[in-house]
mmCIF file of all heavy atoms in Angstrom:
data_model
loop_
_atom_site.group_PDB
_atom_site.id
_atom_site.type_symbol
_atom_site.label_atom_id
_atom_site.label_comp_id
_atom_site.label_asym_id
_atom_site.label_seq_id
_atom_site.Cartn_x
_atom_site.Cartn_y
_atom_site.Cartn_z
ATOM 1 N N PRO A 247 -8.819 5.415 9.326
ATOM 2 C CA PRO A 247 -8.106 4.624 10.337
ATOM 3 C C PRO A 247 -8.557 3.164 10.333
ATOM 4 O O PRO A 247 -9.715 2.873 10.059
ATOM 5 C CB PRO A 247 -8.507 5.303 11.660
ATOM 6 C CG PRO A 247 -8.949 6.672 11.280
ATOM 7 C CD PRO A 247 -9.547 6.555 9.914
ATOM 8 N N HIS A 248 -7.608 2.256 10.599
ATOM 9 C CA HIS A 248 -7.873 0.815 10.669
ATOM 10 C C HIS A 248 -8.213 0.225 9.298
ATOM 11 O O HIS A 248 -8.919 -0.774 9.202
ATOM 12 C CB HIS A 248 -9.002 0.500 11.660
ATOM 13 C CG HIS A 248 -8.778 1.064 13.019
ATOM 14 N ND1 HIS A 248 -7.969 0.470 13.970
ATOM 15 C CD2 HIS A 248 -9.241 2.205 13.606
ATOM 16 C CE1 HIS A 248 -7.960 1.197 15.060
ATOM 17 N NE2 HIS A 248 -8.720 2.250 14.871
ATOM 18 N N ASP A 249 -7.696 0.830 8.239
ATOM 19 C CA ASP A 249 -7.919 0.309 6.887
ATOM 20 C C ASP A 249 -7.079 -0.949 6.674
ATOM 21 O O ASP A 249 -6.208 -1.289 7.476
ATOM 22 C CB ASP A 249 -7.546 1.380 5.847
ATOM 23 C CG ASP A 249 -8.446 1.346 4.630
ATOM 24 O OD1 ASP A 249 -8.949 0.253 4.304
ATOM 25 O OD2 ASP A 249 -8.650 2.403 4.013
ATOM 26 N N ASN A 250 -7.344 -1.646 5.583
ATOM 27 C CA ASN A 250 -6.609 -2.855 5.225
ATOM 28 C C ASN A 250 -5.600 -2.502 4.138
ATOM 29 O O ASN A 250 -5.991 -2.114 3.034
ATOM 30 C CB ASN A 250 -7.588 -3.924 4.730
ATOM 31 C CG ASN A 250 -6.898 -5.234 4.395
ATOM 32 O OD1 ASN A 250 -5.672 -5.331 4.399
ATOM 33 N ND2 ASN A 250 -7.680 -6.255 4.089
ATOM 34 N N PHE A 251 -4.313 -2.647 4.444
ATOM 35 C CA PHE A 251 -3.264 -2.234 3.510
ATOM 36 C C PHE A 251 -2.645 -3.418 2.762
ATOM 37 O O PHE A 251 -1.650 -3.246 2.063
ATOM 38 C CB PHE A 251 -2.178 -1.452 4.264
ATOM 39 C CG PHE A 251 -2.665 -0.126 4.791
ATOM 40 C CD1 PHE A 251 -3.254 -0.036 6.042
ATOM 41 C CD2 PHE A 251 -2.563 1.027 4.032
ATOM 42 C CE1 PHE A 251 -3.720 1.174 6.530
ATOM 43 C CE2 PHE A 251 -3.024 2.246 4.506
ATOM 44 C CZ PHE A 251 -3.605 2.317 5.759
ATOM 45 N N ASN A 252 -3.236 -4.610 2.902
ATOM 46 C CA ASN A 252 -2.751 -5.781 2.183
ATOM 47 C C ASN A 252 -3.046 -5.613 0.692
ATOM 48 O O ASN A 252 -4.197 -5.432 0.296
ATOM 49 C CB ASN A 252 -3.446 -7.033 2.737
ATOM 50 C CG ASN A 252 -2.931 -8.314 2.121
ATOM 51 O OD1 ASN A 252 -2.821 -8.423 0.903
ATOM 52 N ND2 ASN A 252 -2.628 -9.294 2.956
ATOM 53 N N LEU A 253 -2.015 -5.699 -0.141
ATOM 54 C CA LEU A 253 -2.210 -5.445 -1.575
ATOM 55 C C LEU A 253 -3.171 -6.428 -2.229
ATOM 56 O O LEU A 253 -3.806 -6.098 -3.231
ATOM 57 C CB LEU A 253 -0.860 -5.478 -2.302
ATOM 58 C CG LEU A 253 0.039 -4.256 -2.128
ATOM 59 C CD1 LEU A 253 1.331 -4.440 -2.913
ATOM 60 C CD2 LEU A 253 -0.669 -2.978 -2.564
ATOM 61 N N GLU A 254 -3.287 -7.624 -1.686
ATOM 62 C CA GLU A 254 -4.187 -8.617 -2.258
ATOM 63 C C GLU A 254 -5.647 -8.315 -1.925
ATOM 64 O O GLU A 254 -6.551 -8.768 -2.613
ATOM 65 C CB GLU A 254 -3.825 -10.010 -1.738
ATOM 66 C CG GLU A 254 -2.498 -10.554 -2.252
ATOM 67 C CD GLU A 254 -2.550 -10.895 -3.730
ATOM 68 O OE1 GLU A 254 -3.552 -11.492 -4.155
ATOM 69 O OE2 GLU A 254 -1.602 -10.554 -4.461
ATOM 70 N N GLU A 255 -5.905 -7.576 -0.845
ATOM 71 C CA GLU A 255 -7.267 -7.395 -0.351
ATOM 72 C C GLU A 255 -7.689 -5.941 -0.225
ATOM 73 O O GLU A 255 -8.866 -5.658 -0.008
ATOM 74 C CB GLU A 255 -7.399 -8.062 1.036
ATOM 75 C CG GLU A 255 -7.086 -9.549 1.027
ATOM 76 C CD GLU A 255 -7.044 -10.135 2.420
ATOM 77 O OE1 GLU A 255 -7.095 -9.344 3.394
ATOM 78 O OE2 GLU A 255 -6.967 -11.361 2.546
ATOM 79 N N SER A 256 -6.755 -5.010 -0.344
ATOM 80 C CA SER A 256 -7.059 -3.604 -0.060
ATOM 81 C C SER A 256 -7.834 -2.950 -1.186
ATOM 82 O O SER A 256 -7.842 -3.415 -2.326
ATOM 83 C CB SER A 256 -5.768 -2.824 0.181
ATOM 84 O OG SER A 256 -4.971 -2.814 -0.993
ATOM 85 N N HIS A 257 -8.468 -1.833 -0.847
ATOM 86 C CA HIS A 257 -9.127 -1.005 -1.842
ATOM 87 C C HIS A 257 -8.174 0.091 -2.313
ATOM 88 O O HIS A 257 -6.978 0.064 -1.999
ATOM 89 C CB HIS A 257 -10.429 -0.441 -1.260
ATOM 90 C CG HIS A 257 -11.463 -1.496 -1.017
ATOM 91 N ND1 HIS A 257 -11.914 -1.837 0.241
ATOM 92 C CD2 HIS A 257 -12.108 -2.327 -1.875
ATOM 93 C CE1 HIS A 257 -12.800 -2.815 0.154
ATOM 94 N NE2 HIS A 257 -12.943 -3.133 -1.115
ATOM 95 N N VAL A 258 -8.680 1.068 -3.057
ATOM 96 C CA VAL A 258 -7.813 1.954 -3.829
ATOM 97 C C VAL A 258 -6.814 2.727 -2.969
ATOM 98 O O VAL A 258 -5.602 2.630 -3.174
ATOM 99 C CB VAL A 258 -8.672 2.954 -4.647
ATOM 100 C CG1 VAL A 258 -7.777 3.907 -5.428
ATOM 101 C CG2 VAL A 258 -9.585 2.199 -5.600
ATOM 102 N N ILE A 259 -7.297 3.519 -2.017
ATOM 103 C CA ILE A 259 -6.392 4.406 -1.285
ATOM 104 C C ILE A 259 -5.381 3.633 -0.434
ATOM 105 O O ILE A 259 -4.180 3.914 -0.509
ATOM 106 C CB ILE A 259 -7.181 5.444 -0.462
ATOM 107 C CG1 ILE A 259 -7.786 6.478 -1.422
ATOM 108 C CG2 ILE A 259 -6.295 6.116 0.580
ATOM 109 C CD1 ILE A 259 -8.499 7.623 -0.756
ATOM 110 N N PRO A 260 -5.792 2.657 0.391
ATOM 111 C CA PRO A 260 -4.764 1.918 1.141
ATOM 112 C C PRO A 260 -3.798 1.170 0.241
ATOM 113 O O PRO A 260 -2.619 1.032 0.564
ATOM 114 C CB PRO A 260 -5.582 0.962 2.021
ATOM 115 C CG PRO A 260 -6.916 0.879 1.376
ATOM 116 C CD PRO A 260 -7.148 2.214 0.751
ATOM 117 N N GLY A 261 -4.276 0.688 -0.920
ATOM 118 C CA GLY A 261 -3.381 0.032 -1.870
ATOM 119 C C GLY A 261 -2.332 0.991 -2.408
ATOM 120 O O GLY A 261 -1.145 0.654 -2.517
ATOM 121 N N LEU A 262 -2.756 2.215 -2.739
ATOM 122 C CA LEU A 262 -1.817 3.223 -3.232
ATOM 123 C C LEU A 262 -0.834 3.629 -2.139
ATOM 124 O O LEU A 262 0.358 3.832 -2.398
ATOM 125 C CB LEU A 262 -2.577 4.448 -3.744
ATOM 126 C CG LEU A 262 -3.377 4.253 -5.032
ATOM 127 C CD1 LEU A 262 -4.187 5.507 -5.352
ATOM 128 C CD2 LEU A 262 -2.467 3.912 -6.200
ATOM 129 N N VAL A 263 -1.324 3.752 -0.903
ATOM 130 C CA VAL A 263 -0.440 4.089 0.224
ATOM 131 C C VAL A 263 0.622 3.010 0.399
ATOM 132 O O VAL A 263 1.813 3.308 0.580
ATOM 133 C CB VAL A 263 -1.263 4.265 1.523
ATOM 134 C CG1 VAL A 263 -0.338 4.376 2.725
ATOM 135 C CG2 VAL A 263 -2.143 5.508 1.433
ATOM 136 N N HIS A 264 0.207 1.738 0.329
ATOM 137 C CA HIS A 264 1.150 0.623 0.452
ATOM 138 C C HIS A 264 2.204 0.696 -0.658
ATOM 139 O O HIS A 264 3.414 0.560 -0.397
ATOM 140 C CB HIS A 264 0.382 -0.698 0.382
ATOM 141 C CG HIS A 264 1.244 -1.912 0.621
ATOM 142 N ND1 HIS A 264 0.854 -2.938 1.441
ATOM 143 C CD2 HIS A 264 2.466 -2.276 0.148
ATOM 144 C CE1 HIS A 264 1.789 -3.870 1.473
ATOM 145 N NE2 HIS A 264 2.777 -3.483 0.678
ATOM 146 N N LYS A 265 1.753 0.923 -1.887
ATOM 147 C CA LYS A 265 2.693 0.986 -3.017
ATOM 148 C C LYS A 265 3.653 2.167 -2.877
ATOM 149 O O LYS A 265 4.855 2.047 -3.166
ATOM 150 C CB LYS A 265 1.917 1.097 -4.334
ATOM 151 C CG LYS A 265 1.207 -0.190 -4.746
ATOM 152 C CD LYS A 265 0.500 -0.006 -6.080
ATOM 153 C CE LYS A 265 -0.169 -1.289 -6.527
ATOM 154 N NZ LYS A 265 -0.823 -1.135 -7.847
ATOM 155 N N LEU A 266 3.134 3.307 -2.424
ATOM 156 C CA LEU A 266 3.990 4.477 -2.227
ATOM 157 C C LEU A 266 5.048 4.216 -1.155
ATOM 158 O O LEU A 266 6.212 4.604 -1.306
ATOM 159 C CB LEU A 266 3.142 5.691 -1.836
ATOM 160 C CG LEU A 266 2.478 6.445 -2.985
ATOM 161 C CD1 LEU A 266 1.467 7.448 -2.437
ATOM 162 C CD2 LEU A 266 3.521 7.171 -3.822
ATOM 163 N N HIS A 267 4.634 3.553 -0.090
ATOM 164 C CA HIS A 267 5.579 3.227 0.975
ATOM 165 C C HIS A 267 6.677 2.312 0.447
ATOM 166 O O HIS A 267 7.865 2.519 0.730
ATOM 167 C CB HIS A 267 4.849 2.553 2.136
ATOM 168 C CG HIS A 267 5.748 2.185 3.276
ATOM 169 N ND1 HIS A 267 6.301 0.923 3.399
ATOM 170 C CD2 HIS A 267 6.209 2.915 4.331
ATOM 171 C CE1 HIS A 267 7.055 0.885 4.481
ATOM 172 N NE2 HIS A 267 7.010 2.073 5.068
ATOM 173 N N THR A 268 6.274 1.314 -0.353
ATOM 174 C CA THR A 268 7.253 0.375 -0.907
ATOM 175 C C THR A 268 8.216 1.079 -1.860
ATOM 176 O O THR A 268 9.436 0.878 -1.785
ATOM 177 C CB THR A 268 6.537 -0.766 -1.650
ATOM 178 O OG1 THR A 268 5.680 -1.461 -0.728
ATOM 179 C CG2 THR A 268 7.534 -1.748 -2.250
ATOM 180 N N CYS A 269 7.679 1.941 -2.721
ATOM 181 C CA CYS A 269 8.554 2.565 -3.719
ATOM 182 C C CYS A 269 9.508 3.583 -3.087
ATOM 183 O O CYS A 269 10.618 3.779 -3.568
ATOM 184 C CB CYS A 269 7.739 3.206 -4.843
ATOM 185 S SG CYS A 269 7.002 4.801 -4.462
ATOM 186 N N THR A 270 9.086 4.196 -1.991
ATOM 187 C CA THR A 270 9.969 5.179 -1.352
ATOM 188 C C THR A 270 11.001 4.520 -0.438
ATOM 189 O O THR A 270 12.111 5.029 -0.281
ATOM 190 C CB THR A 270 9.154 6.198 -0.524
ATOM 191 O OG1 THR A 270 8.291 5.497 0.386
ATOM 192 C CG2 THR A 270 8.301 7.068 -1.423
ATOM 193 N N THR A 271 10.659 3.383 0.162
ATOM 194 C CA THR A 271 11.601 2.723 1.068
ATOM 195 C C THR A 271 12.515 1.747 0.346
ATOM 196 O O THR A 271 13.622 1.465 0.812
ATOM 197 C CB THR A 271 10.847 1.953 2.185
ATOM 198 O OG1 THR A 271 9.941 1.020 1.600
ATOM 199 C CG2 THR A 271 10.080 2.938 3.069
ATOM 200 N N GLN A 272 12.067 1.230 -0.808
ATOM 201 C CA GLN A 272 12.863 0.242 -1.535
ATOM 202 C C GLN A 272 13.328 0.749 -2.901
ATOM 203 O O GLN A 272 13.894 -0.012 -3.691
ATOM 204 C CB GLN A 272 12.051 -1.045 -1.703
ATOM 205 C CG GLN A 272 11.627 -1.677 -0.388
ATOM 206 C CD GLN A 272 10.828 -2.956 -0.583
ATOM 207 O OE1 GLN A 272 10.870 -3.573 -1.655
ATOM 208 N NE2 GLN A 272 10.092 -3.366 0.453
ATOM 209 N N ASN A 273 13.059 2.032 -3.153
ATOM 210 C CA ASN A 273 13.478 2.657 -4.412
ATOM 211 C C ASN A 273 12.961 1.886 -5.626
ATOM 212 O O ASN A 273 13.687 1.602 -6.575
ATOM 213 C CB ASN A 273 15.012 2.779 -4.473
ATOM 214 C CG ASN A 273 15.454 3.738 -5.565
ATOM 215 O OD1 ASN A 273 14.736 4.680 -5.908
ATOM 216 N ND2 ASN A 273 16.636 3.501 -6.124
ATOM 217 N N LYS A 274 11.653 1.568 -5.581
ATOM 218 C CA LYS A 274 11.017 0.868 -6.685
ATOM 219 C C LYS A 274 10.077 1.825 -7.423
ATOM 220 O O LYS A 274 9.624 2.816 -6.852
ATOM 221 C CB LYS A 274 10.239 -0.341 -6.166
ATOM 222 C CG LYS A 274 11.110 -1.454 -5.624
ATOM 223 C CD LYS A 274 10.256 -2.663 -5.218
ATOM 224 C CE LYS A 274 11.139 -3.813 -4.753
ATOM 225 N NZ LYS A 274 10.313 -5.013 -4.363
ATOM 226 N N PRO A 275 9.755 1.532 -8.688
ATOM 227 C CA PRO A 275 8.830 2.406 -9.422
ATOM 228 C C PRO A 275 7.419 2.346 -8.847
ATOM 229 O O PRO A 275 6.993 1.309 -8.326
ATOM 230 C CB PRO A 275 8.866 1.852 -10.843
ATOM 231 C CG PRO A 275 9.339 0.439 -10.703
ATOM 232 C CD PRO A 275 10.269 0.429 -9.526
#
């Protein structure tokens, strides 16, 4: 909880969560 999901500053898991959210909502790879 309270992790940093900014792709420029995040670590592995929040970065992957951010990317997954983007690819599922915007239909990106």
Side-chain angles (χ1 to χ4, degrees):
H248 306 279
D249 215 331
N250 182 353
F251 293 88
N252 184 312
L253 284 180
E254 291 290 317
E255 301 172 351
S256 64
H257 292 114
V258 178
I259 287 185
L262 290 175
V263 170
H264 185 135
K265 288 182 178 182
L266 278 169
H267 180 265
T268 300
C269 78
T270 53
T271 56
Q272 300 180 19
N273 195 29
K274 291 184 177 180

